[in-house]
Amino acid sequence: MALKKFDLVNTEGLKGLNYKGDFIPFEKITDELAEQLEGKTHVLKRKTTAQVQKALAAEAAEATK
């Protein structure tokens, strides 16, 4: 599942993140999990409202194909 509300940043050479002793691969991070991790890790950056709306519109267009 792709992140819609967050971007992954500063991930060069990393495959995931360790949080509270658990390894979480980047591809397993959902928006809900990112909400919980926001401010607790350096690899998540919240997208602007316009970017979120654009991502949701693109997903909706993809779903109607």
Side-chain angles (χ1 to χ4, degrees):
M1 174 181 256
L3 292 170
K4 297 174 193 74
K5 297 179 184 178
F6 292 87
D7 281 323
L8 288 170
V9 296
N10 303 322
T11 59
E12 295 82 23
L14 302 175
K15 297 179 190 223
L17 53 93
N18 285 307
Y19 181 69
K20 292 189 176 183
D22 293 326
F23 179 78
I24 306 168
F26 290 134
E27 61 270 5
K28 300 284 184 181
I29 298 175
T30 63
D31 280 324
E32 293 78 25
L33 180 57
E35 293 268 350
Q36 295 172 8
L37 297 174
E38 185 179 19
K40 298 175 182 165
T41 178
H42 70 284
V43 298
L44 291 167
K45 178 182 174 194
R46 186 177 287 276
K47 293 181 180 180
T48 64
T49 304
Q51 290 172 316
V52 171
Q53 290 173 346
K54 187 175 180 181
L56 292 174
E59 183 179 278
E62 186 84 16
T64 59
K65 286 184 179 180

